[in-house]
Amino acid sequence: MSGDKMSSCPRAISVLGLGKLGAPIAACFAHKGYRVIGIDNNLDTVRLINEGRAPLYEPRLEELIAANRERLIATENCEEAILESDITFIVVPTPSDKDGGFSLHHVLLACKRLGKVLRDKQYHLVVLTSTVLPGATENEVRPILEAHSQKRSGSGFGLCYSPEFVALGSVIHNLLKPDFILIGESDPKAGERLASFYRTVCDNEAPIARMNSINAEITKLAVNTFVTTKITFANMLARVCERMAGADADVVTAALGLDARIGGRYLKGAIGYGGPCFPRDNLAFSFLAQQLGARADLAEATHHANREEVHRLASLVRSKNAKDGIVGILGLAYKPDTDVVEESQGLLLAQVLTAAGIPVVAYDPAAMNNARHRLNGSLRFADSLETCVKEADVLVITTPWEAFRHLEPALLRRPGLPRVVIDCWRILDLEIVGSVVDYIALGVGAQFHEAKHLPIGSENVGASASTSPSTLR
Ligand SMILES: NC(=O)c1ccc[n+]([C@@H]2O[C@H](COP(=O)([O-])OP(=O)(O)OC[C@H]3O[C@@H](n4cnc5c(N)ncnc54)[C@H](O)[C@@H]3O)[C@@H](O)[C@H]2O)c1
C-alpha cells in the first residue's frame, strides 16, 4: 500500500473472533499492509496465528498469515487490542436458535467488553460482521455499546453492520474480489470511513451498497435465501431431466444461465445444499417473516425440498445395493476445498444409511476428522481414496473434489458384477468409466445408458456421464 493511502487509514484494525471467517479477514487486512490485532478466546488459535500458522483449513490462509507475521498478531486480550486499534470487526459466532433465529450471546458479550474500552478512547469504528437477524444492530448491539461506553453512536463511536459473502474454500478470493460490499451504517461518517477502508482492501472495484442497518441485515439473509432457492430450482430441474430419455440437466442449465435475468452461478442441478450458512440463513428468513406476520412460502418450500434430497439419494443407493453390499461415500465436506461437514450431503447420507443398518465406508481428502467427531463410530473411514473405492459395492460421489475427477478405470473395475457408481455432480466421463462400472449420473436421462443398467429400482433414475461444462456451485 502506498504511504499516502496508509496515512489516511487506521493505525491498526482489530478483528474479534478468528474463526472460519475472522481469520481470513484478519489475514487479508494484514496482506494489504494494515497492522492487525486478532482477538480470540481460543488460546490454540492465538498461538497458531502468532507462530505464522493457520488455525483452520482454508486455501491460502496459512500463506497469508505466514507472509504477514510482522503485521498480524493475535491475543486473547480484547481490551488492549481495541485500545490500540481504530476499527474493530466483530466476527464471533451467532449460532442458530431452535426457532430459526440467531443467538446474540457472543456478540453482546463482545460488545460489553468493547463498549467499556470505548469509554476512554477517541472515535472508534465498530463493524458487526457476524450474521444477525434484522433489527439486531440498532435494537440490541447499539444500546449495549452506548450503555457500556457512555457514548452515543454517531459521535462517540461509529457503528456499521457489514456482512461478507464468502464460500468456504474460496474465502480469501471472495474477500479480496467481492461481487459487492454491503454496508449498513448508523450514520454517514461511519459508512464513509468503512467504505474508504474497503476500497483499500479490495483488489477489484466492487460496488458498495450503503444503506441503514435494517436494510443491510435483510439483504444479507435475502442473498443466501435467493441462492438456496436457485440451487433448489436447479435440483428440481435435474430430477425432471433424469426421468426423460435424452435430457441432460447440464445442457439445460448452461443455456438457462445465458439469460441475463438468471445467470449461471449456483445453477448446477445435483444434490442438496449444506454448510454453515445456507441452511440456517434460509430458515432465519422464514423465521423473520413469521415474526412479522408475513409469509415465506418460497423459502419454506426450498428448505423442505432440500431436506428431501438426501432421502431421495438414499433410496436410489439402497435400490442399487445388493444385500450386505457396502456403500462407499466419496466426500464428507459440504463442498470441495474445505473440511467443514456441517449439513453436508455426504455426512447426512452416511447417517441415513447407517441408521438403516447398511455398512458404509467413507473418504474425504480434508474432512475426515470433522466427520469422525460427528459420526461417532457408526461407519468406517477409509485411509485413502483407493481403499474406499475398492471396498465399495455402490460408490456415491457426494462432493466434487478435484481428486475424485481423475478416478482411474483400473481402480473402479472389479471382477464379477460391475461396481455401481452414482455420480451426483457428473464429474466422471462415461466414455472413460462407462465400460467398467454401472455408471449413474444424476440429472441425466436414460437413453445413453445401456439396457443392463436400467431401470434403477423404484427410482428409475437413468444414467449417463455428461462432460458438458456447467457452472459448479
Ligand atoms: N464461515 C462463513 O463462511 C461465514 C460466512 C458469512 C458469515 N458468517 C458469519 O460470521 C460469524 C462467524 O462465523 P465463523 O464461521 O467464523 O465462526 P467460527 O465458529 O468458525 O469462529 C468464531 C471464532 O470466534 C471466537 N469467539 C467466540 N466468542 C468470542 C469472544 N467473546 N471473544 C473472542 N473470540 C470469540 C471463537 O473462538 C472462534 O475462533 C457467524 O455469525 C457466521 O454466521 C460466516
Side-chain angles (χ1 to χ4, degrees), residues 201-263:
V201 171
C202 295
D203 284 339
N204 61 359
E205 302 276 319
I208 300 181
R210 287 176 55 187
M211 57 194 71
N212 64 21
S213 59
I214 197 99
N215 283 320
E217 289 160 334
I218 295 171
T219 305
K220 157 68 180 161
L221 288 189
V223 166
N224 279 355
T225 304
F226 190 89
V227 175
T228 56
T229 308
K230 194 172 179 186
I231 292 170
T232 305
F233 179 87
N235 286 344
M236 175 181 77
L237 200 61
R239 302 297 82 87
V240 169
C241 288
E242 65 202 14
R243 284 165 170 76
M244 294 202 75
D248 182 333
D250 286 336
V251 174
V252 177
T253 53
L256 202 57
L258 296 176
D259 188 316
R261 293 169 300 178
I262 298 172

Side-chain angles (χ1 to χ4, degrees), residues 16-17 19-21 40-41 91-94 130-131 164 168 277 280:
L16 209 166
K20 295 184 288 296
L21 183 58
D40 205 290
N41 51 16
V91 204
V92 294
T94 47
S130 301
T131 306
E164 298 286 355
L168 297 182
C277 292
R280 79 189 198 109

Side-chain angles (χ1 to χ4, degrees), residues 354 360 371-381:
T354 52
V360 174
R372 260 190 202 102
H373 288 127
R374 305 250 174 171
L375 292 171
N376 208 12
S378 57
L379 79 161
R380 277 182 311 114
F381 291 93

Side-chain angles (χ1 to χ4, degrees), residues 24-84:
I25 286 179
C28 283
F29 293 168
H31 168 67
K32 287 292 172 168
Y34 288 103
R35 196 159 81 79
V36 181
I37 311 169
I39 310 156
D40 205 290
N41 51 16
N42 181 330
L43 295 184
D44 283 338
T45 296
V46 169
R47 178 181 52 80
L48 285 167
I49 291 183
N50 288 333
E51 288 171 5
R53 292 160 62 196
L56 47 92
Y57 181 97
E58 179 61 39
R60 291 198 64 204
L61 181 59
E62 184 140 309
E63 169 202 327
L64 258 56
I65 292 176
N68 294 286
R69 284 184 75 177
E70 80 278 13
R71 278 189 292 271
L72 171 61
I73 55 160
T75 176
E76 70 275 23
N77 189 329
C78 178
E79 285 70 22
E80 240 175 64
I82 291 159
L83 267 180
E84 279 199 31

Side-chain angles (χ1 to χ4, degrees), residues 390-403:
K390 277 186 192 154
E391 289 191 16
D393 296 295
V394 176
L395 189 68
V396 194
I397 304 175
T398 40
T399 313
W401 279 99
E402 191 58 34

